[in-house]
Amino acid sequence: MPKPIHIAVIRLSAMGDVAMTVPVLRALVLQYPEVQLTVVSRPFFKPFFDGIPNVNFFAVDLQKRHKGFAGLLRLYSDLRQQNIDSVADLHNVLRSKVVRNLFRLSGKKVAATDKGRADKKALTRTENKIFAPVKPMVERHCATFAELGFAIDLTNPKFPEKASLSEEIITVSGIKSGKWIGIAPFAQYQSKVYPQDLMQQVIDTLAQDANNKVFLFGGGTKEIEILNRLKNNLENVIVVAGKLQLQQELDLISNLDVMLSMDSGNAHIAAMLGVKVITLWGATHPHAGFKPFNQPDDFCLTSDRTKYPLLPTSVYGNKKVEGYEDVMRTILPKTIIEKIEKELK
């Protein structure tokens, strides 16, 4: 029996970016059973990779043991003990570059994801904008593994089975009946968040159908307050935030019929579980390469570029452009509701 090939996969953060690696790694180990992966990431993300065969998780400690340059040397030393053959750096930031270059100097094969910064800059700049899709991040990660000798085919992706719901989850969700709709109304930057008054219309209308149950996702005290307002005392609208652990949230999401999300981590989490994901795009745009995995283009509802021709103004939503604060108001609640109802049928 040939010796397994052991690849260290580095992807330290953020949530959506880590979730985007999951379908790639799942396809890799299914297509190359001789490959053993060690995913190097923050401990919080471990549940994303549970249940994928041939995948071990290495929890990086960036607060203590692996903090600073000395910590990165310790991280390299810790990973060397795992008998790593090659390194796939899917993060490609200063920290991960240090670790991968130490492996390279020790004679190991390394490859890093090209983030396509120049293409993304051309897409988001205000002058001489090139409005064309850039290579999706998932495909960029596949190119990284191809460099290591493992071409990955994503044309027929495999997803995990819907999770069984534990008693703790059922206490929050109830037994599954009718249609389950997830809504994740937040994002890291305000320019990617659908206006609250319009989101209220979406939730209220979906909840009018007694066959629908709407689950609201988020986190943190302020977000939970907003979610409780959006619930609007409706019996079939449930605030999930603050009630479940991450693994339990993943199990619940895997049982949804559809997820409505901003351009945010929740979109990528639902997509990695094979759930239909309808996304709303404000200052950002799916052309930048962050469209949720395996979702049709028409599941991405974008703000009106006729009215706001400078869109997208940002890759991540962190840039503000005067006069573009209300771009998401051009995505009508009616459009969102009709899209969700169509997919529920």
Side-chain angles (χ1 to χ4, degrees):
M1 198 172 164
K3 176 181 173 286
I5 298 151
H6 196 166
I7 305 174
V9 180
I10 304 174
R11 178 69 252 196
L12 303 175
S13 61
M15 190 189 298
D17 294 306
V18 176
M20 266 190 285
T21 67
V22 173
V24 176
L25 302 189
R26 190 181 284 120
L28 174 64
V29 294
L30 287 173
Q31 290 164 33
Y32 298 95
E34 72 278 17
V35 169
Q36 179 82 38
L37 301 178
T38 291
V39 174
V40 183
S41 194
R42 295 173 187 264
F44 180 78
F45 299 124
K46 184 180 182 298
F48 287 10
F49 303 94
D50 288 349
I52 306 177
N54 293 355
V55 174
N56 299 319
F57 189 86
F58 183 94
V60 69
D61 180 4
L62 296 172
Q63 302 306 311
K64 291 180 181 174
R65 178 165 178 79
H66 303 128
K67 185 179 181 180
F69 184 72
L72 293 177
L73 295 176
R74 278 192 289 273
L75 176 57
Y76 166 66
S77 176
D78 292 346
L79 290 173
R80 274 194 72 182
Q81 292 172 29
Q82 310 276 329
N83 296 316
I84 301 296
D85 296 305
S86 53
V87 175
D89 178 3
L90 307 188
H91 202 165
N92 203 358
V93 293
L94 187 59
R95 278 188 184 126
S96 59
K97 283 176 186 175
V98 169
V99 176
R100 89 167 183 251
N101 282 323
L102 289 169
F103 273 104
R104 185 176 58 79
L105 290 169
S106 72
K108 303 296 182 186
K109 197 170 184 181
V110 304
T113 295
D114 170 14
K115 293 184 173 179
R117 288 189 175 92
D119 291 342
K120 289 172 183 172
K121 191 174 180 181
L123 174 68
T124 55
R125 66 194 176 202
T126 53
E127 292 179 18
N128 303 316
K129 182 187 287 291
I130 300 173
F131 184 70
V134 305
K135 189 176 181 179
M137 285 307 299
V138 168
E139 288 180 24
R140 291 178 186 276
H141 293 328
C142 287
T144 304
F145 286 106
E147 225 179 295
L148 296 175
F150 301 97
I152 302 169
D153 181 4
L154 291 178
T155 52
N156 186 25
K158 299 284 187 291
F159 295 102
E161 297 290 320
K162 288 185 186 299
S164 299
L165 299 181
S166 66
E167 282 183 31
E168 291 98 327
I169 300 169
I170 290 170
T171 302
V172 174
S173 68
I175 302 283
K176 174 93 192 247
S177 67
K179 298 295 184 182
W180 281 14
I181 304 162
I183 298 182
F186 303 111
Q188 186 177 2
Y189 298 106
Q190 198 57 37
S191 68
K192 301 198 291 184
V193 176
Y194 195 57
Q196 204 174 308
D197 59 315
L198 301 185
M199 184 56 82
Q200 188 73 67
Q201 291 179 42
V202 172
I203 293 167
D204 290 352
T205 305
L206 291 170
Q208 283 173 12
D209 186 339
N211 194 45
N212 291 339
K213 190 176 273 190
V214 179
F215 295 93
L216 304 181
F217 293 86
T221 311
K222 190 181 175 188
E223 289 189 1
I224 291 169
E225 279 177 23
I226 295 168
L227 293 176
N228 283 321
R229 285 202 294 275
L230 290 169
K231 174 180 166 60
N232 207 14
N233 293 319
L234 293 163
E235 200 176 313
N236 55 341
V237 177
I238 294 170
V239 175
V240 176
K243 296 176 185 173
L244 298 174
Q245 301 296 317
L246 177 61
Q247 183 60 63
Q248 295 170 323
E249 280 204 14
L250 296 181
D251 291 348
L252 176 57
I253 289 169
S254 83
N255 282 272
L256 297 175
D257 294 285
V258 67
M259 170 69 95
L260 172 67
S261 176
M262 308 302 105
D263 167 22
S264 71
N266 279 292
H268 299 293
I269 288 171
M272 80 182 190
L273 296 170
V275 174
K276 290 179 178 180
V277 188
I278 292 162
T279 41
L280 307 182
W281 300 77
T284 60
H285 196 280
H287 274 11
F290 294 98
K291 186 182 85 166
F293 177 68
N294 201 47
Q295 304 294 323
D297 289 345
D298 68 345
F299 279 22
C300 299
L301 304 181
T302 57
S303 300
D304 186 351
R305 288 194 72 251
T306 307
K307 192 172 179 184
Y308 295 101
L310 298 183
L311 290 174
T313 56
S314 175
V315 174
Y316 303 108
N318 53 337
K319 291 177 189 167
K320 290 183 179 178
V321 174
E322 196 176 337
Y324 275 59
E325 297 82 5
D326 290 331
V327 297
M328 289 189 95
R329 290 192 173 274
T330 62
I331 307 171
L332 302 179
K334 182 173 178 281
T335 306
I336 300 167
I337 294 157
E338 285 174 356
K339 189 70 196 164
I340 291 171
E341 288 176 342
K342 182 188 173 193
E343 294 314 317
L344 290 177
K345 286 172 187 169

